[in-house]
Amino acid sequence: MSDLTHDDQMGRDQNLNAKKGKNNKEKSVDLLNAMENQVVCREIVVAKMKERLEIFKQKMDEVDDLGGQIGDLSQDVMAQRQSLEEFQAMVMNSIKVLRA
C-alpha cells in the first residue's frame, strides 16, 4: 500500500492539476502570440505589396508617357518623310526640265 495519506494524495493531485492548468494557459498564450505574429507578418506583407503596386503604377504611367512620346515622334518622322518625298519629286522634275 502507498505511504501517502489521503490528504497527501489530494495535495499531490491538486498540484498536478495546477501544473496542467498552467501548461494549458502557457500554451494558450503561446498560441495567441503566434497568431498575433502571423497577423503582424501579414500586415507587413500587405504593406510591401501596396508599395510595390504603387511603384508598378508609376512605372506604367512612365510607359504610357513614353508611348505618347513615341507616337509624337512617329508622326514627326512621317511628316519629315513626306516632306523629303515632295522635295525628291521637285528635284526629279527639275532634272527633267533641265534635260529637256
Side-chain angles (χ1 to χ4, degrees):
M1 189 144 205
S2 174
D3 291 339
L4 295 176
T5 64
H6 179 69
D7 289 340
D8 289 338
Q9 184 65 38
M10 290 294 290
R12 183 176 153 197
D13 290 344
Q14 286 175 350
N15 192 21
L16 286 174
N17 287 337
K19 285 182 182 179
K20 285 181 186 177
K22 184 177 180 183
N23 285 338
N24 287 339
K25 286 179 187 177
E26 287 174 357
K27 287 179 185 177
S28 295
V29 169
D30 289 344
L31 181 60
L32 182 60
N33 287 337
M35 291 170 67
E36 287 175 353
N37 288 339
Q38 281 185 334
V39 169
V40 169
C41 289
R42 287 182 180 153
E43 289 172 350
I44 291 170
V45 168
V46 167
K48 290 284 186 188
M49 293 301 289
K50 285 181 179 179
E51 287 175 18
R52 290 180 181 165
L53 179 61
E54 193 58 39
I55 291 169
F56 178 76
K57 286 179 182 178
Q58 291 172 357
K59 295 295 182 187
M60 289 302 295
D61 288 344
E62 290 175 16
V63 168
D64 288 343
D65 291 344
L66 289 173
Q69 291 175 10
I70 289 170
D72 294 344
L73 290 172
S74 177
Q75 288 177 351
D76 290 346
V77 167
M78 293 300 287
Q80 291 294 326
R81 181 177 179 186
Q82 185 177 356
S83 295
L84 286 173
E85 288 173 354
E86 291 170 1
F87 179 73
Q88 182 182 12
M90 186 178 73
V91 168
M92 295 301 284
N93 285 335
S94 297
I95 291 173
K96 285 180 185 176
V97 168
L98 291 173
R99 284 187 184 168

Coordinates of all heavy atoms in Angstrom, one line a residue:
M1 N 0.8 -1.2 0.0 CA 0.0 0.0 0.0 C 0.9 1.2 0.0 O 2.0 1.2 0.4 CB -0.9 -0.1 1.2 CG -1.9 1.0 1.3 SD -3.4 0.3 2.0 CE -4.5 1.3 1.3
S2 N 0.3 2.3 -0.4 CA 1.0 3.6 -0.6 C 1.3 4.2 0.8 O 0.5 4.1 1.7 CB 0.2 4.5 -1.5 OG 0.8 5.8 -1.5
D3 N 2.4 4.9 0.9 CA 2.8 5.6 2.1 C 2.1 6.9 2.2 O 2.1 7.6 3.3 CB 4.3 5.8 2.2 CG 5.0 4.5 2.4 OD1 4.4 3.5 2.9 OD2 6.2 4.5 2.1
L4 N 1.4 7.4 1.1 CA 0.8 8.7 1.1 C -0.6 8.6 1.8 O -1.3 7.6 1.7 CB 0.6 9.1 -0.3 CG 1.8 9.4 -1.1 CD1 1.4 9.8 -2.6 CD2 2.6 10.5 -0.5
T5 N -0.8 9.6 2.6 CA -2.1 9.6 3.3 C -3.1 10.2 2.3 O -2.8 10.7 1.2 CB -2.1 10.5 4.5 OG1 -1.8 11.9 4.1 CG2 -1.1 10.1 5.5
H6 N -4.4 10.1 2.6 CA -5.4 10.7 1.7 C -5.2 12.1 1.4 O -5.3 12.6 0.3 CB -6.8 10.4 2.3 CG -7.9 11.0 1.5 ND1 -8.3 10.4 0.3 CD2 -8.8 12.0 1.7 CE1 -9.3 11.1 -0.3 NE2 -9.6 12.1 0.6
D7 N -4.8 12.9 2.5 CA -4.6 14.3 2.3 C -3.3 14.6 1.5 O -3.3 15.5 0.6 CB -4.4 15.0 3.7 CG -5.7 15.1 4.5 OD1 -6.8 15.0 3.9 OD2 -5.6 15.2 5.7
D8 N -2.3 13.7 1.6 CA -1.1 13.9 0.8 C -1.4 13.6 -0.7 O -1.0 14.3 -1.6 CB 0.0 12.9 1.2 CG 0.6 13.3 2.6 OD1 0.5 14.5 3.0 OD2 1.2 12.4 3.2
Q9 N -2.3 12.6 -0.9 CA -2.6 12.3 -2.3 C -3.5 13.4 -2.9 O -3.3 13.7 -4.1 CB -3.4 10.9 -2.3 CG -3.8 10.5 -3.7 CD -2.6 10.1 -4.5 OE1 -1.6 9.5 -4.0 NE2 -2.7 10.4 -5.8
M10 N -4.4 14.0 -2.1 CA -5.2 15.1 -2.6 C -4.3 16.3 -3.0 O -4.5 17.0 -4.0 CB -6.3 15.5 -1.6 CG -7.4 14.4 -1.4 SD -8.4 14.2 -2.9 CE -9.3 15.7 -2.8
G11 N -3.4 16.6 -2.1 CA -2.5 17.7 -2.3 C -1.6 17.5 -3.6 O -1.4 18.4 -4.4
R12 N -1.2 16.3 -3.8 CA -0.4 15.9 -4.9 C -1.2 16.1 -6.2 O -0.8 16.6 -7.2 CB 0.1 14.5 -4.8 CG 1.0 14.1 -5.9 CD 1.6 12.7 -5.6 NE 1.9 12.1 -6.9 CZ 2.1 10.8 -7.1 NH1 2.1 10.0 -6.0 NH2 2.4 10.3 -8.2
D13 N -2.5 15.6 -6.2 CA -3.4 15.7 -7.3 C -3.7 17.2 -7.7 O -3.7 17.6 -8.8 CB -4.7 15.0 -7.1 CG -4.5 13.5 -7.1 OD1 -3.4 13.0 -7.5 OD2 -5.4 12.8 -6.6
Q14 N -3.9 18.0 -6.6 CA -4.2 19.4 -6.9 C -2.9 20.1 -7.5 O -3.0 20.9 -8.4 CB -4.5 20.1 -5.5 CG -5.9 19.7 -5.1 CD -6.2 20.4 -3.7 OE1 -5.3 20.9 -3.0 NE2 -7.5 20.3 -3.3
N15 N -1.7 19.7 -7.0 CA -0.5 20.3 -7.5 C -0.4 19.9 -9.0 O 0.0 20.7 -9.8 CB 0.7 19.8 -6.7 CG 2.0 20.5 -7.0 OD1 1.9 21.7 -7.5 ND2 3.1 19.9 -6.7
L16 N -0.6 18.6 -9.4 CA -0.5 18.2 -10.8 C -1.6 18.9 -11.6 O -1.3 19.4 -12.7 CB -0.8 16.7 -10.9 CG 0.4 15.8 -10.4 CD1 0.0 14.3 -10.4 CD2 1.6 16.0 -11.3
N17 N -2.8 19.1 -11.1 CA -3.8 19.8 -11.9 C -3.5 21.2 -12.1 O -3.7 21.8 -13.1 CB -5.2 19.7 -11.1 CG -5.8 18.3 -11.3 OD1 -5.4 17.5 -12.2 ND2 -6.6 17.9 -10.4
A18 N -2.8 21.9 -11.1 CA -2.4 23.3 -11.2 C -1.3 23.4 -12.2 O -1.3 24.3 -13.0 CB -1.9 23.8 -9.8
K19 N -0.4 22.4 -12.3 CA 0.6 22.5 -13.3 C 0.0 22.3 -14.7 O 0.4 22.9 -15.7 CB 1.7 21.4 -13.0 CG 2.6 21.7 -11.9 CD 3.6 20.6 -11.7 CE 4.5 20.9 -10.5 NZ 5.5 19.8 -10.3
K20 N -0.9 21.4 -14.8 CA -1.6 21.2 -16.1 C -2.3 22.4 -16.6 O -2.2 22.8 -17.7 CB -2.6 20.0 -16.0 CG -2.0 18.7 -16.0 CD -3.0 17.6 -16.0 CE -2.4 16.2 -15.8 NZ -3.4 15.2 -15.6
G21 N -3.0 23.1 -15.6 CA -3.7 24.3 -15.9 C -2.7 25.4 -16.4 O -3.0 26.2 -17.3
K22 N -1.6 25.5 -15.7 CA -0.5 26.4 -16.0 C 0.0 26.1 -17.4 O 0.2 27.0 -18.2 CB 0.6 26.4 -15.0 CG 1.6 27.5 -15.2 CD 2.7 27.4 -14.1 CE 3.7 28.5 -14.4 NZ 4.8 28.5 -13.4
N23 N 0.2 24.9 -17.7 CA 0.7 24.5 -19.0 C -0.3 24.9 -20.1 O 0.0 25.3 -21.2 CB 1.0 23.0 -19.1 CG 2.3 22.7 -18.4 OD1 3.2 23.5 -18.2 ND2 2.5 21.4 -18.0
N24 N -1.6 24.6 -19.8 CA -2.6 25.0 -20.8 C -2.7 26.5 -21.0 O -2.9 26.9 -22.1 CB -4.0 24.5 -20.4 CG -4.1 23.0 -20.5 OD1 -3.4 22.4 -21.3 ND2 -5.0 22.4 -19.8
K25 N -2.5 27.2 -19.9 CA -2.5 28.7 -20.1 C -1.3 29.2 -20.9 O -1.4 30.0 -21.7 CB -2.5 29.4 -18.7 CG -3.8 29.3 -18.0 CD -3.7 29.9 -16.6 CE -5.0 29.7 -15.8 NZ -4.9 30.3 -14.4
E26 N -0.2 28.6 -20.6 CA 1.0 28.9 -21.3 C 0.9 28.6 -22.8 O 1.3 29.3 -23.7 CB 2.3 28.2 -20.7 CG 2.7 28.7 -19.4 CD 3.8 27.9 -18.8 OE1 4.2 26.9 -19.3 OE2 4.3 28.3 -17.7
K27 N 0.3 27.4 -23.1 CA 0.1 27.0 -24.5 C -0.9 28.0 -25.1 O -0.7 28.4 -26.3 CB -0.5 25.6 -24.5 CG 0.5 24.5 -24.2 CD -0.1 23.2 -24.3 CE 0.9 22.1 -23.9 NZ 0.3 20.8 -23.9
S28 N -1.9 28.4 -24.4 CA -2.9 29.4 -25.0 C -2.2 30.7 -25.2 O -2.4 31.3 -26.3 CB -4.0 29.6 -24.0 OG -4.8 28.4 -23.9
V29 N -1.3 31.2 -24.3 CA -0.6 32.4 -24.5 C 0.3 32.3 -25.7 O 0.4 33.2 -26.5 CB 0.1 32.8 -23.2 CG1 1.1 33.9 -23.5 CG2 -0.9 33.2 -22.1
D30 N 1.0 31.2 -25.8 CA 2.0 30.9 -26.9 C 1.2 30.9 -28.2 O 1.6 31.5 -29.2 CB 2.7 29.6 -26.7 CG 3.7 29.7 -25.6 OD1 4.1 30.8 -25.2 OD2 4.2 28.6 -25.2
L31 N 0.0 30.3 -28.2 CA -0.8 30.2 -29.4 C -1.3 31.6 -29.8 O -1.2 32.0 -31.0 CB -2.0 29.3 -29.2 CG -2.9 29.1 -30.4 CD1 -2.1 28.5 -31.6 CD2 -4.0 28.2 -30.1
L32 N -1.7 32.4 -28.8 CA -2.1 33.7 -29.1 C -1.0 34.6 -29.6 O -1.2 35.4 -30.6 CB -2.7 34.4 -27.8 CG -3.3 35.8 -27.9 CD1 -4.4 35.8 -28.9 CD2 -3.7 36.3 -26.5
N33 N 0.2 34.5 -29.0 CA 1.4 35.2 -29.5 C 1.7 34.8 -30.9 O 2.0 35.7 -31.8 CB 2.6 35.0 -28.6 CG 2.4 35.7 -27.3 OD1 1.7 36.7 -27.2 ND2 3.1 35.2 -26.3
A34 N 1.6 33.5 -31.2 CA 1.9 33.1 -32.6 C 0.9 33.7 -33.6 O 1.3 34.1 -34.7 CB 1.9 31.6 -32.7
M35 N -0.4 33.7 -33.2 CA -1.4 34.3 -34.1 C -1.2 35.8 -34.3 O -1.3 36.3 -35.4 CB -2.8 34.0 -33.5 CG -3.2 32.5 -33.5 SD -4.7 32.1 -32.6 CE -5.9 33.0 -33.6
E36 N -0.8 36.4 -33.2 CA -0.5 37.9 -33.3 C 0.7 38.1 -34.3 O 0.7 39.0 -35.1 CB -0.2 38.5 -32.0 CG -1.5 38.6 -31.1 CD -1.2 39.1 -29.7 OE1 0.0 39.2 -29.3 OE2 -2.1 39.4 -29.0
N37 N 1.7 37.3 -34.2 CA 2.9 37.4 -35.0 C 2.5 37.1 -36.5 O 3.0 37.8 -37.4 CB 4.0 36.4 -34.6 CG 4.7 36.8 -33.3 OD1 4.6 37.9 -32.9 ND2 5.3 35.8 -32.7
Q38 N 1.6 36.2 -36.7 CA 1.1 35.9 -38.1 C 0.4 37.2 -38.6 O 0.6 37.5 -39.8 CB 0.2 34.7 -38.1 CG 0.9 33.4 -38.1 CD -0.1 32.3 -38.3 OE1 -1.3 32.4 -38.0 NE2 0.4 31.2 -38.8
V39 N -0.4 37.8 -37.8 CA -1.2 39.0 -38.2 C -0.2 40.1 -38.6 O -0.3 40.8 -39.6 CB -2.2 39.4 -37.2 CG1 -2.7 40.8 -37.5 CG2 -3.3 38.4 -37.0
V40 N 0.8 40.3 -37.7 CA 1.8 41.3 -38.0 C 2.6 41.0 -39.3 O 2.8 41.9 -40.1 CB 2.8 41.4 -36.8 CG1 4.0 42.3 -37.1 CG2 2.1 42.0 -35.5
C41 N 3.0 39.8 -39.5 CA 3.7 39.4 -40.7 C 2.8 39.7 -41.9 O 3.3 40.2 -42.9 CB 4.1 37.9 -40.7 SG 5.4 37.6 -39.5
R42 N 1.5 39.3 -41.8 CA 0.6 39.6 -43.0 C 0.5 41.0 -43.2 O 0.4 41.5 -44.4 CB -0.7 38.9 -42.7 CG -0.7 37.4 -42.8 CD -2.0 36.7 -42.6 NE -1.8 35.3 -42.7 CZ -2.6 34.4 -42.1 NH1 -3.6 34.8 -41.4 NH2 -2.4 33.1 -42.3
E43 N 0.4 41.8 -42.2 CA 0.3 43.3 -42.4 C 1.5 43.8 -43.0 O 1.5 44.7 -43.9 CB 0.1 44.0 -41.0 CG -1.3 43.7 -40.4 CD -1.5 44.3 -39.0 OE1 -0.5 44.7 -38.4 OE2 -2.6 44.3 -38.5
I44 N 2.7 43.3 -42.7 CA 3.9 43.7 -43.3 C 3.9 43.3 -44.8 O 4.3 44.1 -45.7 CB 5.2 43.1 -42.6 CG1 5.3 43.7 -41.2 CG2 6.4 43.3 -43.4 CD1 6.3 43.0 -40.3
V45 N 3.5 42.1 -45.1 CA 3.4 41.7 -46.5 C 2.5 42.6 -47.3 O 2.8 43.0 -48.4 CB 3.0 40.2 -46.5 CG1 2.7 39.8 -48.0 CG2 4.1 39.3 -46.0
V46 N 1.3 42.9 -46.7 CA 0.3 43.7 -47.4 C 0.9 45.1 -47.6 O 0.8 45.7 -48.7 CB -1.0 43.8 -46.6 CG1 -1.9 44.9 -47.1 CG2 -1.7 42.5 -46.6
A47 N 1.6 45.6 -46.7 CA 2.2 47.0 -46.8 C 3.3 46.9 -47.9 O 3.3 47.8 -48.8 CB 2.9 47.4 -45.5
K48 N 4.1 45.9 -48.0 CA 5.1 45.8 -49.0 C 4.5 45.6 -50.4 O 4.9 46.2 -51.4 CB 6.0 44.6 -48.8 CG 6.9 44.7 -47.6 CD 8.1 45.6 -48.0 CE 9.1 45.7 -46.9 NZ 10.1 46.6 -47.1
M49 N 3.4 44.9 -50.5 CA 2.7 44.7 -51.8 C 2.1 46.0 -52.2 O 2.1 46.3 -53.4 CB 1.6 43.6 -51.6 CG 2.2 42.2 -51.4 SD 3.3 41.7 -52.7 CE 2.1 41.4 -54.0
K50 N 1.5 46.8 -51.3 CA 1.0 48.1 -51.6 C 2.1 49.0 -52.2 O 1.9 49.7 -53.1 CB 0.3 48.7 -50.4 CG -1.0 48.1 -50.1 CD -1.7 48.8 -48.9 CE -3.1 48.2 -48.6 NZ -3.7 48.8 -47.5
E51 N 3.3 49.0 -51.6 CA 4.4 49.8 -52.0 C 4.8 49.4 -53.4 O 5.0 50.2 -54.3 CB 5.6 49.6 -51.1 CG 5.5 50.3 -49.8 CD 6.7 49.9 -48.9 OE1 7.7 49.5 -49.4 OE2 6.6 50.1 -47.7
R52 N 4.9 48.1 -53.7 CA 5.2 47.6 -55.0 C 4.2 47.9 -56.0 O 4.5 48.2 -57.2 CB 5.5 46.0 -54.9 CG 6.7 45.7 -54.2 CD 6.9 44.2 -54.1 NE 8.2 43.9 -53.3 CZ 8.5 42.8 -52.9 NH1 7.7 41.7 -53.1 NH2 9.6 42.6 -52.2
L53 N 2.9 47.8 -55.6 CA 1.8 48.2 -56.5 C 1.9 49.7 -56.9 O 1.7 50.0 -58.1 CB 0.5 47.9 -55.9 CG -0.8 48.2 -56.7 CD1 -0.8 47.4 -58.0 CD2 -2.0 48.0 -55.9
E54 N 2.2 50.5 -56.0 CA 2.4 51.9 -56.3 C 3.5 52.2 -57.2 O 3.4 53.0 -58.2 CB 2.6 52.7 -55.0 CG 2.4 54.2 -55.1 CD 1.1 54.6 -55.7 OE1 0.0 54.0 -55.3 OE2 1.0 55.6 -56.5
I55 N 4.6 51.5 -57.0 CA 5.8 51.6 -57.9 C 5.4 51.1 -59.3 O 5.8 51.8 -60.3 CB 7.0 50.8 -57.3 CG1 7.5 51.5 -56.1 CG2 8.1 50.7 -58.4 CD1 8.6 50.7 -55.3
F56 N 4.7 50.0 -59.4 CA 4.3 49.5 -60.6 C 3.4 50.5 -61.4 O 3.5 50.7 -62.6 CB 3.5 48.2 -60.4 CG 3.0 47.6 -61.7 CD1 3.8 46.9 -62.6 CD2 1.6 47.6 -62.0 CE1 3.3 46.3 -63.7 CE2 1.1 47.1 -63.2 CZ 2.0 46.4 -64.0
K57 N 2.4 51.1 -60.6 CA 1.6 52.1 -61.2 C 2.4 53.3 -61.8 O 2.1 53.8 -62.9 CB 0.6 52.6 -60.2 CG -0.6 51.6 -59.9 CD -1.5 52.2 -58.9 CE -2.6 51.3 -58.5 NZ -3.5 51.8 -57.5
Q58 N 3.4 53.7 -61.0 CA 4.3 54.8 -61.5 C 5.0 54.4 -62.8 O 5.1 55.2 -63.7 CB 5.2 55.2 -60.4 CG 4.6 55.9 -59.2 CD 5.6 56.1 -58.1 OE1 6.7 55.7 -58.1 NE2 5.1 56.7 -57.0
K59 N 5.5 53.2 -62.8 CA 6.2 52.7 -64.0 C 5.3 52.6 -65.2 O 5.7 53.0 -66.3 CB 6.9 51.4 -63.7 CG 8.0 51.4 -62.7 CD 9.2 52.2 -63.1 CE 10.2 52.2 -62.1 NZ 11.3 53.1 -62.4
M60 N 4.1 52.2 -64.9 CA 3.1 52.1 -66.0 C 2.8 53.5 -66.6 O 2.6 53.7 -67.8 CB 1.8 51.4 -65.6 CG 2.0 49.9 -65.4 SD 2.6 49.0 -66.8 CE 1.2 49.3 -67.9
D61 N 2.7 54.5 -65.7 CA 2.5 55.9 -66.1 C 3.6 56.3 -67.0 O 3.4 57.0 -68.0 CB 2.3 56.8 -64.9 CG 0.9 56.6 -64.2 OD1 0.0 56.0 -64.8 OD2 0.8 57.1 -63.1
E62 N 4.8 56.0 -66.6 CA 6.0 56.4 -67.3 C 6.0 55.7 -68.7 O 6.3 56.3 -69.7 CB 7.3 56.0 -66.6 CG 7.6 56.8 -65.3 CD 8.8 56.3 -64.6 OE1 9.6 55.5 -65.1 OE2 8.9 56.7 -63.4
V63 N 5.6 54.4 -68.8 CA 5.5 53.7 -70.0 C 4.4 54.4 -70.9 O 4.7 54.6 -72.1 CB 5.2 52.2 -69.8 CG1 4.7 51.6 -71.1 CG2 6.3 51.5 -69.2
D64 N 3.3 54.8 -70.3 CA 2.3 55.5 -71.1 C 2.8 56.8 -71.7 O 2.5 57.1 -72.8 CB 1.0 55.7 -70.2 CG 0.2 54.5 -70.0 OD1 0.4 53.5 -70.7 OD2 -0.6 54.5 -69.0
D65 N 3.5 57.5 -70.8 CA 4.1 58.8 -71.3 C 5.1 58.6 -72.5 O 5.1 59.3 -73.5 CB 4.8 59.5 -70.2 CG 3.9 60.1 -69.1 OD1 2.7 60.1 -69.4 OD2 4.3 60.4 -68.0
L66 N 5.9 57.5 -72.3 CA 6.9 57.2 -73.3 C 6.2 56.8 -74.6 O 6.6 57.1 -75.7 CB 7.9 56.1 -72.9 CG 8.9 56.5 -71.8 CD1 9.7 55.3 -71.3 CD2 9.8 57.6 -72.4
G67 N 5.1 56.0 -74.5 CA 4.3 55.6 -75.6 C 3.8 56.8 -76.4 O 3.8 56.9 -77.6
G68 N 3.3 57.8 -75.6 CA 2.8 59.1 -76.2 C 3.9 59.8 -76.9 O 3.7 60.3 -78.1
Q69 N 5.1 59.8 -76.3 CA 6.2 60.5 -77.0 C 6.6 59.8 -78.2 O 7.0 60.4 -79.3 CB 7.4 60.6 -76.0 CG 7.2 61.5 -74.8 CD 8.4 61.4 -73.8 OE1 9.4 60.8 -74.1 NE2 8.2 62.1 -72.7
I70 N 6.6 58.4 -78.2 CA 7.0 57.6 -79.4 C 5.9 57.9 -80.5 O 6.3 58.1 -81.7 CB 7.0 56.1 -79.1 CG1 8.2 55.9 -78.2 CG2 7.0 55.3 -80.3 CD1 8.3 54.5 -77.6
G71 N 4.7 58.0 -80.1 CA 3.6 58.3 -81.1 C 3.9 59.7 -81.7 O 3.8 59.8 -83.0
D72 N 4.2 60.7 -80.9 CA 4.5 62.0 -81.5 C 5.7 62.0 -82.4 O 5.7 62.6 -83.5 CB 4.8 63.0 -80.3 CG 3.5 63.2 -79.5 OD1 2.4 62.9 -79.9 OD2 3.7 63.8 -78.3
L73 N 6.8 61.3 -82.0 CA 8.0 61.2 -82.8 C 7.7 60.4 -84.1 O 8.2 60.8 -85.2 CB 9.1 60.5 -82.0 CG 9.7 61.2 -80.9 CD1 10.7 60.3 -80.1 CD2 10.4 62.5 -81.4
S74 N 6.8 59.4 -84.0 CA 6.5 58.7 -85.2 C 5.7 59.6 -86.2 O 6.0 59.6 -87.4 CB 5.6 57.5 -84.9 OG 5.2 56.8 -86.0
Q75 N 4.8 60.4 -85.7 CA 4.1 61.4 -86.6 C 5.1 62.4 -87.2 O 5.0 62.7 -88.4 CB 3.0 62.1 -85.8 CG 1.8 61.2 -85.5 CD 0.8 62.0 -84.7 OE1 1.0 63.1 -84.2 NE2 -0.4 61.3 -84.5
D76 N 6.1 62.9 -86.4 CA 7.1 63.8 -86.9 C 7.9 63.1 -88.0 O 8.2 63.7 -89.0 CB 8.0 64.3 -85.8 CG 7.3 65.2 -84.8 OD1 6.2 65.7 -85.1 OD2 7.9 65.4 -83.7
V77 N 8.3 61.9 -87.8 CA 9.1 61.2 -88.8 C 8.3 61.0 -90.1 O 8.8 61.2 -91.2 CB 9.5 59.8 -88.3 CG1 10.1 58.9 -89.4 CG2 10.6 59.9 -87.2
M78 N 7.0 60.7 -90.0 CA 6.2 60.5 -91.2 C 6.0 61.9 -91.9 O 6.1 61.9 -93.1 CB 4.8 60.0 -90.8 CG 4.8 58.6 -90.2 SD 5.4 57.4 -91.4 CE 4.0 57.3 -92.5
A79 N 5.9 62.9 -91.2 CA 5.8 64.3 -91.8 C 7.1 64.6 -92.5 O 7.1 65.1 -93.6 CB 5.5 65.3 -90.7
Q80 N 8.3 64.3 -91.9 CA 9.6 64.6 -92.5 C 9.7 63.7 -93.7 O 10.3 64.2 -94.7 CB 10.7 64.3 -91.5 CG 10.8 65.3 -90.3 CD 11.2 66.6 -90.8 OE1 11.9 66.8 -91.8 NE2 10.6 67.7 -90.1
R81 N 9.3 62.5 -93.7 CA 9.4 61.6 -94.8 C 8.6 62.1 -96.0 O 9.0 62.2 -97.1 CB 8.9 60.2 -94.4 CG 9.0 59.2 -95.6 CD 8.6 57.8 -95.1 NE 8.6 56.9 -96.3 CZ 8.2 55.7 -96.3 NH1 7.7 55.2 -95.1 NH2 8.3 54.9 -97.3
Q82 N 7.4 62.6 -95.7 CA 6.5 63.2 -96.7 C 7.2 64.4 -97.3 O 7.2 64.6 -98.6 CB 5.1 63.5 -96.2 CG 4.2 64.0 -97.2 CD 2.8 64.3 -96.7 OE1 2.5 64.0 -95.5 NE2 1.9 64.7 -97.5
S83 N 7.8 65.2 -96.5 CA 8.5 66.4 -97.0 C 9.6 66.0 -97.9 O 9.9 66.7 -98.9 CB 9.0 67.3 -95.8 OG 7.9 67.8 -95.1
L84 N 10.4 65.0 -97.5 CA 11.5 64.5 -98.3 C 11.0 64.0 -99.6 O 11.7 64.2 -100.7 CB 12.3 63.5 -97.5 CG 13.2 64.0 -96.4 CD1 13.8 62.9 -95.6 CD2 14.3 64.9 -96.9
E85 N 9.9 63.2 -99.6 CA 9.4 62.7 -100.8 C 8.9 63.8 -101.8 O 9.2 63.8 -103.0 CB 8.2 61.7 -100.5 CG 8.7 60.4 -99.9 CD 7.5 59.5 -99.5 OE1 6.3 60.0 -99.5 OE2 7.8 58.4 -99.1
E86 N 8.3 64.8 -101.2 CA 7.9 66.0 -102.0 C 9.2 66.7 -102.6 O 9.2 67.1 -103.7 CB 7.1 67.0 -101.2 CG 5.7 66.4 -100.8 CD 5.0 67.3 -99.8 OE1 5.5 68.3 -99.4 OE2 3.8 66.9 -99.5
F87 N 10.2 66.9 -101.8 CA 11.4 67.5 -102.2 C 12.1 66.7 -103.3 O 12.5 67.2 -104.3 CB 12.4 67.7 -101.0 CG 13.7 68.3 -101.4 CD1 13.8 69.7 -101.7 CD2 14.9 67.6 -101.5 CE1 15.0 70.3 -102.1 CE2 16.1 68.2 -101.8 CZ 16.1 69.5 -102.1
Q88 N 12.1 65.4 -103.1 CA 12.7 64.5 -104.1 C 11.9 64.6 -105.5 O 12.5 64.6 -106.5 CB 12.6 63.0 -103.6 CG 13.2 62.0 -104.6 CD 13.1 60.6 -104.1 OE1 12.4 60.3 -103.1 NE2 13.9 59.7 -104.7
A89 N 10.6 64.7 -105.4 CA 9.8 64.8 -106.6 C 10.1 66.1 -107.3 O 10.2 66.2 -108.5 CB 8.3 64.7 -106.3
M90 N 10.2 67.2 -106.5 CA 10.6 68.5 -107.1 C 11.9 68.5 -107.8 O 12.1 69.0 -108.9 CB 10.6 69.6 -106.0 CG 10.8 71.0 -106.4 SD 10.7 72.2 -105.1 CE 12.2 71.9 -104.3
V91 N 12.9 67.8 -107.1 CA 14.3 67.7 -107.7 C 14.2 66.9 -109.0 O 14.8 67.3 -110.0 CB 15.3 67.1 -106.7 CG1 16.6 66.7 -107.4 CG2 15.5 68.0 -105.6
M92 N 13.4 65.8 -109.0 CA 13.3 65.0 -110.2 C 12.7 65.8 -111.3 O 13.1 65.7 -112.5 CB 12.5 63.7 -109.9 CG 13.2 62.8 -108.9 SD 14.8 62.2 -109.4 CE 14.3 61.0 -110.6
N93 N 11.6 66.5 -111.0 CA 11.0 67.4 -112.0 C 12.0 68.4 -112.6 O 12.0 68.7 -113.8 CB 9.7 68.1 -111.5 CG 8.6 67.1 -111.4 OD1 8.5 66.1 -112.1 ND2 7.7 67.4 -110.5
S94 N 12.8 69.0 -111.7 CA 13.8 70.0 -112.1 C 14.8 69.3 -113.0 O 15.2 70.0 -114.0 CB 14.5 70.6 -110.9 OG 13.6 71.3 -110.1
I95 N 15.2 68.1 -112.8 CA 16.2 67.4 -113.6 C 15.6 67.2 -115.0 O 16.2 67.4 -116.0 CB 16.7 66.1 -112.9 CG1 17.5 66.4 -111.7 CG2 17.4 65.2 -113.9 CD1 17.9 65.2 -110.9
K96 N 14.3 66.8 -115.0 CA 13.6 66.5 -116.3 C 13.5 67.8 -117.1 O 13.8 67.8 -118.3 CB 12.2 66.0 -116.0 CG 12.2 64.5 -115.6 CD 10.7 64.1 -115.4 CE 10.7 62.7 -114.8 NZ 9.4 62.2 -114.5
V97 N 13.2 68.9 -116.4 CA 13.1 70.2 -117.1 C 14.5 70.6 -117.7 O 14.6 71.1 -118.8 CB 12.6 71.3 -116.2 CG1 12.7 72.7 -116.8 CG2 11.1 71.0 -115.9
L98 N 15.6 70.4 -116.9 CA 16.9 70.8 -117.4 C 17.4 69.9 -118.5 O 18.1 70.3 -119.4 CB 17.9 70.7 -116.2 CG 17.7 71.7 -115.1 CD1 18.7 71.4 -114.0 CD2 18.0 73.1 -115.7
R99 N 17.0 68.7 -118.6 CA 17.3 67.7 -119.6 C 16.6 68.1 -120.9 O 17.1 67.8 -122.0 CB 17.0 66.3 -119.3 CG 18.1 65.8 -118.3 CD 17.8 64.3 -118.1 NE 18.7 63.8 -117.0 CZ 18.6 62.6 -116.5 NH1 17.6 61.8 -116.8 NH2 19.5 62.2 -115.6
A100 N 15.4 68.6 -120.8 CA 14.6 68.8 -122.0 C 15.0 70.0 -122.8 O 15.9 70.8 -122.7 CB 13.2 69.0 -121.6

